[in-house]
Structure formats: structure tokens, C-alpha cells
Amino acid sequence: MKALVFACLMLPVAAIAADLEASLTIRNHQFSPAELKVPAGKKIKLIVQNQDPTPEEFESHELNREKVIAGNGKATIYIGPLQPGKYPFFGEFNEKTARGVVIAE
Amino acid sequence: MFGAALIVFRESLEAALLISIVAAATRGLSRRNFWIAVGIAAGLAGSLVVAGLTERIAELAEGSGQELFNAAVLGIAVVMLGWHNIWMARHGREMAAQAKSVGHAVKSGQREMSALAILIAIAVLREGSETALFLYGLAAGGGSSHASMLGGGLTGLVAGVVAGWALYSGLARIPLRHFFTVTSGLILLLAAGLAGQMARFLVQGDIVRPLATPLWDSSSLLPMDSVIGNVLHLVAGYDARPSGMQVLFYVLTFLIILAGMRWSRTLTPRTA
Ligand SMILES: [Cu+2]
């Protein structure tokens, strides 16, 4: 509890400035676009739209992110600011087909 | 898997410890087994209600609410684990003594038989709902499938019940103090790890700043999907690419719980 309160008091809430948005769609257990280009060094608001009836989990070790997206649902994931480079991600529930990469440049 | 097994083992051992002490103290009492069974059943039912509500809330949450909910559950789990570690060493023996005196009171007819059942129900409910919450926290923290969590949970439960039975029948003499020292250390790492996961969710939902993305990258030395990386992730909260905030939460939680344990230990009366 103390850790929580302390950390919350000590650190300012995230900036209110408008975020850069990027979007991804899941259909037939595939991400589109499979290659998502984003600017490096910026915080990105990534909106993932799942058009399949089944849930999917967006996961990336490289981005250090994971989030379940309900079937026919939408989710927002904040990523970055990223160093220039490639950051693969995948759908945990359909790992073979659902693959993609974020390219920061 | 190991994290789930450890938590369920520890929690079920605690409940089993109390139950076996009560059972030993009331040996030969009529309808004793019935009341013990009622207590265990009531405690388990209560735990399931708590667990069910947790899932329901998770389903209702959308958008960044999912992150907030996960972070809140992880935060509660961290606080409970920390609290547990800080107070358990000090009160463990007291608790055992109390359970024994309730057993004696029942035996000499000073209290109603149901007191015994209520005591057991509360113990099972407390440990059971803690277990449900911790397991949910682990699931939210990722890294293990539901099947492996279920397997770990069942392994831990069976181990806890067996250990409780061994205690009861007096067939095994477990050096409890040593045992609790080891598990306390593991629980400390687990709590810090869950605090780190909590920070990650807060960053993912844009509720706090990452401070650094990432603070370091040890993925080439010890990747997350390697066996050792995975075990370390589950047990000690290892992350190959943690954000600065994650590390800050981890270190602060670790230090605060450790300080609490030290402080609590100084208050322990030294009895031979
Ligand atoms: Cu406990």
C-alpha cells in the first residue's frame, strides 16, 4: 500500500497532450496491416479492432505488452516511446496466423 | 505453474495447519468430523463466490478499465502478500496456540460445537479467497496458460493437504520455522514481481509514465521464452525489457516489505 501511494504521489500522471494514433485490425486470425510503421521516440495510442467473433490476445515481448481483446471488440494499448527498430507482435490465441511487426523509424 | 503451485501450497498449508491442530485437539469428540467438514465446505463456497465476482468484474471492464482492474487486483494481492509476510512470522505461533485453546474449549463444552466449524470456515475462506485472488493476479500477469495454472494449483492443493495430514497424524516432523523462512523469501520475490506487473499495466493503460522504455534489455542473455527466463518471471518477476516504472515498483515493494518483516521480527518476543 505504502509503495503504491508513494509511487503515485511521486510520479505525475501521464501527459494530456494529444497522442499519435495507429490502428490494427484482426480478421480471420490475422493482423492487418502486418507491418505497422510508427515514428520513433513518440508515445503511440494503438487501437486494435477485433473483427473475429473469438477473443484474441495482443502480445509482444519486444514491446512488453499484452492485452486481451474480446470477440468483435476494440482495445487501446499505449506503446513507446520506441527506439528505431522492429518490434514483432503476435496473437497469443492464434500464434501461427496472427503475426505482425511494429517498425519504428 | 510453479508460482501457482507455491501460492496454493502455502495457503492450503496454512488452512490445513489450523484444521489439523483443531482436529488433533478435538480427537474423540462426537460429531467432530461433521463440523470440520461443514467448516471446510462453507469456507470453500465463500472462496468460490469471491473468485466468481472477480471474474465478473474482469469481464465488465473495457478499454483501459482492463488495465486498471488488473492493476488493482495485483495491488491488492501485493498488499495481502506483504501483509502476510510481515505479520505471519510474528503471529504464526500465536495463531496455532489460539486454535488449540478453541479446540479445548469445545472439548470441555465451554463453547458450542459450531464455533469450531466457524473457525475452520474463516480460515478456509481467508486462505481460499487469497488463493483465488493471487491466481487471478498470476493469470493477469501472463506467462502461464490456464491449464498449467490449474495443474499448478492442484499440485499445490494436494501438497498442502498431504502436509496438513502429515502434521495431524504426527508421522512427519516438518521444521516449520525453516520452512516458513524459505517460503517467506519466495513470497517476497513474488510480491515484488506482481508489483512490477502492476506497473506494466498502469503504463500500458497510459495511467503512469514508463520513465524508460526499456530500462535495460537482457533478452539476448536470458530471453523471456526460455525455461529459466519463464521460471524466473513467474517466481521473481523477471522481465527482459522492463520499463523504468516497473523496476521502481519492484524495488520499492521489495524494500518496504523487507523493512516491514525486519521491523516485525524485532517485536517478536523471544521464547525458547
Ligand atoms: Cu495466507
Side-chain angles (χ1 to χ4, degrees):
Chain A
M1 193 63 180
K2 271 187 209 156
L4 250 178
V5 174
F6 185 56
C8 291
L9 286 178
M10 214 177 65
L11 298 147
V13 173
I16 305 156
D19 299 308
L20 283 169
E21 283 192 15
S23 55
L24 275 176
T25 306
I26 302 167
R27 201 181 302 146
N28 300 324
H29 308 313
Q30 281 175 329
F31 285 107
S32 80
E35 282 191 2
L36 184 68
K37 287 193 174 150
V38 301
K42 296 252 163 63
K43 187 174 79 186
I44 313 288
K45 182 180 183 180
L46 181 62
I47 295 163
V48 188
Q49 196 100 40
N50 184 2
Q51 295 183 351
D52 286 339
T54 52
E56 185 55 273
E57 184 173 35
F58 176 93
E59 180 158 353
S60 170
H61 296 305
E62 285 76 8
L63 291 166
N64 196 9
R65 289 292 178 269
E66 62 183 320
K67 178 147 177 166
V68 176
I69 304 137
N72 294 315
K74 196 177 88 168
T76 303
I77 304 165
Y78 286 86
I79 59 173
L82 300 170
Q83 305 272 349
K86 289 186 174 185
Y87 301 84
F89 58 85
F90 60 95
E92 167 124 72
F93 300 156
N94 298 282
E95 225 179 305
K96 281 189 186 129
T97 54
R99 299 205 149 263
V101 60
V102 170
I103 300 168
E105 54 188 24
Chain B
M1 159 93 187
F2 181 72
L6 175 72
I7 283 166
V8 177
F9 175 54
R10 169 109 187 195
E11 299 300 334
S12 54
L13 182 76
E14 277 163 16
L17 193 66
L18 192 131
I19 292 166
S20 34
I21 292 168
V22 170
T26 56
R27 202 196 297 256
L29 210 71
S30 68
R31 285 168 65 74
R32 179 201 65 169
N33 290 345
F34 169 76
W35 284 109
I36 290 177
V38 166
I40 293 173
L44 285 178
S47 303
L48 284 181
V49 170
V50 172
L53 285 178
T54 312
E55 289 256 337
R56 186 74 172 273
I57 301 160
E59 275 170 21
L60 289 175
E62 269 182 72
S64 282
Q66 196 185 319
E67 276 88 357
L68 269 181
F69 179 77
N70 284 341
V73 169
L74 287 168
I76 294 168
V78 168
V79 170
M80 284 170 88
L81 282 172
W83 180 260
H84 198 69
N85 252 12
I86 291 168
W87 293 100
M88 210 51 185
R90 202 174 143 207
H91 291 296
R93 266 165 286 175
E94 277 176 39
M95 257 177 51
Q98 269 174 17
K100 207 167 181 179
S101 73
V102 171
H104 281 309
V106 171
K107 197 171 191 173
S108 50
Q110 286 167 18
R111 292 191 200 185
E112 290 178 19
M113 281 293 281
S114 53
L116 190 151
I118 291 170
L119 176 76
I120 289 171
I122 289 171
V124 173
L125 174 66
R126 202 176 66 88
E127 306 303 341
S129 51
E130 262 182 41
T131 308
L133 204 58
F134 295 157
L135 290 183
Y136 184 80
L138 275 189
S144 64
S145 69
H146 290 272
S148 102
M149 260 185 43
L150 194 67
L154 283 176
T155 309
L157 181 64
V158 169
V161 170
V162 167
W165 184 258
L167 265 172
Y168 171 73
S169 52
L171 288 175
R173 298 200 188 280
I174 300 169
L176 268 186
R177 227 170 51 156
H178 183 67
F179 172 85
F180 279 118
T181 308
V182 172
T183 54
S184 286
L186 288 170
I187 298 253
L188 175 62
L189 290 175
L190 207 58
L194 292 182
Q197 301 286 346
M198 182 187 160
R200 198 187 57 171
F201 279 117
L202 291 175
V203 169
Q204 176 171 307
D206 198 31
I207 297 146
V208 297
R209 290 183 179 189
L211 296 183
T213 51
L215 190 61
W216 71 72
D217 186 347
S218 52
S219 55
S220 51
L221 285 171
L222 187 52
M224 295 284 286
D225 40 20
S226 65
V227 175
I228 299 173
N230 210 351
V231 167
L232 276 177
H233 172 68
L234 288 173
V235 176
Y238 169 71
D239 202 316
R241 295 180 191 81
S243 67
M245 184 63 87
Q246 228 173 304
V247 175
L248 185 71
F249 266 57
Y250 189 102
V251 171
L252 276 181
T253 304
F254 187 94
L255 290 179
I256 289 169
I257 295 176
L258 191 67
M261 286 165 71
R262 289 263 159 89
W263 169 77
S264 177
R265 215 165 285 155
T266 61
L267 300 179
T268 310
R270 278 166 206 274
T271 46

